[in-house]
Amino acid sequence: MELFDIQRSSVQSMPVREREKASGAQCIERAILVLRAVAATVDGATLSQIVAVSGLYKATVHRMLSVLVREGLMGRNEESKTYFLGEEIYALGTLAAPRYGVHQLALPALHRLAILSQDSAFLLLVAGSDLVCVHREEGSHPIRSHLLHAGTRFPLGVGSFGVAILAAMDASDSERVVAVNAKRVIAQGHCHYAGVRLWQLIKTARATGYSLNPGLSVPEAWGISVAVLDADGRPIAALSIGAIASRLQAQRQPKLVSALKAEAASLSKQLRNWRTRLAA
C-alpha cells in the first residue's frame, strides 16, 4: 500500500471535480515525499533508494522524478543513475532565505561551538512536526556516527534537539505535536522517546533550559541541545553538540551548555534585529 494512498472505491464514488481535487493533492503529497527522500541523502539517491524511503510504487516514483527533473527541481547523474536536488530548489530556497535565514546567521555560532567542544555541532530547523538537520560542523574529534547530517529528518520529540524544541513550546503546542507524532516515533524505531519517558525528558529540559540525550537511540552517540527562539519567542531551531559518550559526561556538560545557551540567545537577538530591519 502506498503512503497517502486513497481507496479507489471511495475516490471513484466522488463527483468528477472532487476526484480531480483528490488526485491533484495526492500528486503533490507524493512529489513532496520524493523530494524529501532525495534531500535526506548525501551523495544523491538511486531510484530503488527513493522507492524504499518514500514507500511509493516504483512506477509512481519514476513518473514523479521525470516531472521534477523536467522542471528543474531535481537533477540526475546519468553515469551513477542517482538523483539530487536541482537548481530550481536552490533558487527557491534563496528567495525564501530573507524570511527563514537562521541558517546563514548560525554558521559562525556553529563554527565556534565545534572549535570549543572539538566535537560535531549541528543546526536543525523546525519543519511542521519535524526537525530537519541543515548543517553539520565538524570539530577535531567529530562523532563517527553519520545518523545526523544535512537533510536528515526526525519527528519532533526524538533526540536531544527534538526534546529541546518541545520543551521551549507552549504546553498546548507541545501536547498537539506529541499527539501527532506519537505513532510515528514508535513506528520509525524511536520508542525510547515515546510515552511517559518523553514527557519526563520535556519536563527536565524545561527546568534546565537544555536537553541531554544519553545515548538513548545509539548507546555511544550522545547529544546536548538548546532551542533557538524567533522574534515572537517561538522555537524555530535547535543548536546541538554530538559526541561519543565519554566526551559528554557530567564534568564537561556545564561548559557546553553555557556555550550553547549563549549562542542560542545571540542568534535569537540577531533574528529580532533582522526582523526589525526587514520591517523598516
Side-chain angles (χ1 to χ4, degrees), residues 99 101-110 112-113 123-126 164-165 168 209 226-239 259-278:
R99 183 173 293 272
V102 66
H103 184 191
Q104 290 301 314
L105 291 177
L107 291 179
L110 292 164
R112 288 190 293 267
L113 289 169
L123 174 69
L124 299 99
L125 300 184
V126 176
I165 293 294
V226 299
V228 177
L229 308 181
D230 67 7
D232 297 315
R234 295 173 300 204
I236 60 167
L239 289 176
L260 284 165
K261 286 184 176 181
E263 295 291 1
S266 176
L267 264 178
S268 295
K269 183 177 180 180
Q270 291 179 67
L271 287 168
R272 288 194 298 272
N273 293 339
W274 191 21
R275 178 170 172 176
T276 301
R277 289 196 300 270
L278 288 175

Side-chain angles (χ1 to χ4, degrees), residues 237-249:
L239 289 176
S240 182
I241 292 174
I244 60 174
S246 62
R247 292 184 58 79
L248 269 185
Q249 294 304 307

Side-chain angles (χ1 to χ4, degrees), residues 115-189:
I115 290 176
L116 174 73
S117 66
Q118 300 182 326
D119 297 304
S120 301
F122 304 92
L123 174 69
L124 299 99
L125 300 184
V126 176
S129 297
D130 293 342
L131 267 179
V132 180
C133 179
V134 295
H135 194 86
R136 172 175 176 150
E137 188 79 11
E138 301 288 26
S140 55
H141 290 84
I143 189 170
R144 298 304 176 189
S145 171
H146 291 283
L147 294 175
L148 187 58
H149 57 77
T152 309
R153 178 181 292 262
F154 292 97
L156 273 174
V158 171
S160 61
F161 30 81
V163 173
I165 293 294
L166 289 178
M169 287 181 171
D170 291 337
S172 58
D173 289 336
S174 61
E175 289 171 2
R176 174 183 54 79
V177 173
V178 170
V180 169
N181 282 350
K183 291 182 179 179
R184 294 177 59 209
V185 167
I186 296 173
Q188 295 178 19

Side-chain angles (χ1 to χ4, degrees), residues 22-205:
S23 177
Q26 189 181 55
C27 285
I28 293 171
E29 289 173 334
R30 289 173 172 175
I32 291 171
L33 281 176
V34 170
L35 283 169
R36 286 178 175 170
V38 173
T41 63
V42 177
D43 300 316
T46 63
L47 176 61
S48 59
Q49 288 173 327
I50 299 170
V51 169
V53 172
S54 68
L56 299 172
Y57 290 127
K58 184 176 181 179
T60 300
V61 172
H62 188 271
R63 184 169 64 252
M64 293 290 171
L65 287 170
S66 297
V67 175
L68 292 169
V69 169
R70 186 172 69 241
E71 296 299 323
L73 294 167
M74 201 81 76
R76 185 172 190 267
N77 185 316
E78 296 297 336
E79 184 176 342
S80 63
K81 308 297 183 185
T82 56
Y83 294 86
F84 50 89
L85 296 182
E87 67 276 6
E88 186 66 19
I89 290 289
Y90 175 78
L92 293 173
T94 301
L95 293 172
R99 183 173 293 272
Y100 306 102
V102 66
H103 184 191
Q104 290 301 314
L105 291 177
L107 291 179
L110 292 164
H111 183 63
R112 288 190 293 267
L113 289 169
I115 290 176
L116 174 73
S117 66
Q118 300 182 326
D119 297 304
S120 301
F122 304 92
L123 174 69
L124 299 99
L125 300 184
V126 176
S129 297
D130 293 342
L131 267 179
V132 180
C133 179
V134 295
H135 194 86
R136 172 175 176 150
E137 188 79 11
E138 301 288 26
S140 55
H141 290 84
I143 189 170
R144 298 304 176 189
S145 171
H146 291 283
L147 294 175
L148 187 58
H149 57 77
T152 309
R153 178 181 292 262
F154 292 97
L156 273 174
V158 171
S160 61
F161 30 81
V163 173
I165 293 294
L166 289 178
M169 287 181 171
D170 291 337
S172 58
D173 289 336
S174 61
E175 289 171 2
R176 174 183 54 79
V177 173
V178 170
V180 169
N181 282 350
K183 291 182 179 179
R184 294 177 59 209
V185 167
I186 296 173
Q188 295 178 19
H190 304 299
C191 57
H192 298 295
Y193 292 96
V196 175
R197 172 176 278 181
L198 176 57
W199 286 112
Q200 291 173 337
L201 292 170
I202 292 172
K203 181 179 179 181
T204 300

